[in-house]
Amino acid sequence: LRYTYEEKTLEPVGQQFFLPGGIPITPPLGGTQSEEEDWNEFSPRVGAQYYINDDLMVFGSYARGFKSGGFFGRITSGSNITGFDPEEVETFELGIKSDWWDNRLRLNATLFSSDYTDKQEDIIVADPNGNVDTVVLNASDATMEGLEIEMTALLAEGLTMFLQYGYLDAEYEDFLIEDIPGVPEDGSTLDMRNAPENTFGIGLAYTHSLFSHSAMNYDVNYNWRDEYVTIFNNDPLGQKDSAGFWNANIDYVYKDNLTVSLYGRNLSDERYFRAVLIPPISSFGQWNEPRNYGVTVTYEF
C-alpha cells in the first residue's frame, strides 16, 4: 500500500514573439496569476501466484494507480490557466507462465482489464485573442481490456523463434466536454487515440561461435499493427492504416566487448505520416523513416 501527497504551483512568465520591425505576432500573456493545488492518493496492489507444477504457473493481481494532477503551462492567455486532477486506474490481471518441450518452448499469456476514472485529455482550444492554447481536462471515464501472448521457441541449436500477439479493446464510457468550439460535447463515441486493436510480431534469431573468441548473430523480424487514429476528434487526417515493418540485423561480436552491426530498417519501405492539427492556425505532419540501412560499432570498456 502506497500513499502519495503532491503539491504543485504554477507561476506563469509572459513572453511575446515579434516580426522584424517590432510587429507583435502574439499578444502579451495577460491576466497572469499563480495557481496552487494539492492531491493525495492511495495506490494498493495485491497479487497471488500458484505453481501447478515446475513448468506451469498461474497468477492474478489487482492494482490501483494514478497519473499526477497538475497545470498545463504552455498557454498564450492567462485566462486559460486551468488545473486538472489525477487520472485514476484500476487494473485486474489473470495469466499463465509456462515452459514446455523440455524447456525449449516458453508460452506466457495475460488477460487484463483497466478501468480509468477522470482520464486526462489534452485538447487544443482557441483563446479570446485569436491564438490557441492547450488545456488538459478530466473529461472521460474509459476501459481498456485485452490479451497479450508471448511465445519463444528454441528450434535448433542457436536458432530461436519468437512470436507475440496483442489484442486491445479501448473505449470511452462517459466523455463530456463543455464550451470548447469544434469539439463534440459528447465524445463517448470517439475512437481512443493511439490504440490499435491488434498487434503482431514474429522473428527468427540465429547465433553461432566464430573461431574461439567471436560470435555471429543474425536476426530478422516482422511487426504489424492494426489501423488506429492519432487526432483527438478523429479527424480523417489522423487515420492510420494497418501496416507491417520488416527489420534485420547481422552482428559480429568480438570477446563480448566489440560489436559491429549491419542493420536494415523498414525493409518493405512502408510509409505513413502523423498529422498534427492546431486549429485555426496551422497543421503539419511528420513522416516515418523510409527504408534505411546502416552500420553501428559499439565497444564496451
Side-chain angles (χ1 to χ4, degrees):
L1 176 65
R2 173 181 293 176
Y3 172 77
T4 304
Y5 173 79
E6 295 184 309
E7 183 177 302
K8 295 185 178 181
T9 302
L10 174 67
E11 296 182 0
V13 176
Q15 65 179 6
Q16 279 187 277
F17 297 95
F18 297 86
L19 294 171
I23 302 173
I25 59 174
T26 61
L29 184 65
T32 59
Q33 58 184 5
S34 297
E35 298 285 346
E36 183 175 333
E37 188 62 80
D38 60 78
W39 305 270
N40 58 83
E41 294 284 344
F42 284 100
S43 305
R45 183 181 187 277
V46 61
Q49 59 188 39
Y50 177 71
Y51 286 86
I52 297 175
N53 54 49
D54 291 341
D55 299 320
L56 179 61
M57 184 265 283
V58 295
F59 65 91
S61 68
Y62 163 81
R64 182 175 181 269
F66 71 97
K67 184 178 179 180
S68 296
F71 306 95
F72 195 88
R74 192 179 67 212
I75 56 174
T76 58
S77 170
S79 62
N80 273 345
I81 298 176
T82 57
F84 51 92
D85 291 326
E87 167 186 303
E88 299 177 351
V89 60
E90 292 183 303
T91 296
F92 296 87
E93 286 187 334
L94 289 174
I96 65 167
K97 295 182 181 293
S98 61
D99 291 322
W100 308 83
W101 194 20
D102 293 330
N103 292 329
R104 294 175 63 182
L105 174 65
R106 172 162 292 172
L107 179 63
N108 301 330
T110 304
L111 286 168
F112 65 89
S113 176
S114 297
D115 188 3
Y116 288 80
T117 304
D118 292 332
K119 191 174 187 300
Q120 297 167 4
E121 299 289 345
D122 57 286
I123 303 172
I124 296 176
V125 301
D127 72 17
N129 297 310
N131 214 315
V132 294
D133 286 327
T134 300
V135 298
V136 180
L137 305 174
N138 295 103
S140 70
D141 295 340
T143 59
M144 296 184 188
E145 299 176 336
L147 167 70
E148 295 178 347
I149 299 175
E150 298 177 335
M151 186 193 75
T152 305
L154 181 64
L155 302 181
E157 184 176 358
L159 179 62
T160 304
M161 181 185 76
F162 78 86
L163 182 148
Q164 58 189 29
Y165 170 73
Y167 171 77
L168 178 65
D169 180 17
E171 293 183 348
Y172 292 117
E173 299 293 333
D174 299 309
F175 195 167
L176 299 179
I177 309 165
E178 298 179 353
D179 302 325
I180 297 182
V183 176
E185 182 173 328
D186 182 1
S188 58
T189 59
L190 294 174
D191 290 334
M192 198 174 295
R193 288 175 286 183
N194 307 311
E197 187 174 51
N198 295 280
T199 55
F200 172 77
I202 189 170
L204 286 172
Y206 179 64
T207 182
H208 66 85
S209 59
L210 187 67
F211 311 117
S212 60
H213 49 62
S214 304
M216 294 294 298
N217 302 323
Y218 311 87
D219 177 86
V220 59
N221 61 76
Y222 175 77
N223 293 285
W224 179 89
R225 50 106 176 124
D226 218 338
E227 62 182 10
Y228 65 102
V229 300
T230 62
I231 297 177
F232 163 74
N233 63 356
N234 295 175
D235 188 290
L237 281 175
Q239 179 71 41
K240 298 288 159 276
D241 294 333
S242 59
F245 304 89
W246 286 97
N247 304 298
N249 272 68
I250 300 176
D251 303 332
Y252 169 72
V253 182
Y254 176 75
K255 290 186 176 180
D256 295 327
N257 298 113
L258 174 67
T259 301
V260 181
S261 178
L262 171 65
Y263 68 84
R265 300 287 181 264
N266 192 11
L267 297 177
S268 57
D269 201 28
E270 191 79 43
R271 303 307 309 277
Y272 67 92
F273 77 96
R274 186 182 184 92
V276 178
L277 304 184
I278 310 177
I281 293 178
S282 67
S283 63
F284 63 92
Q286 299 167 318
W287 285 92
N288 71 312
E289 289 189 353
R291 179 190 299 116
N292 61 96
Y293 308 93
V295 176
T296 61
V297 179
T298 305
Y299 185 80
E300 297 184 5
F301 295 92

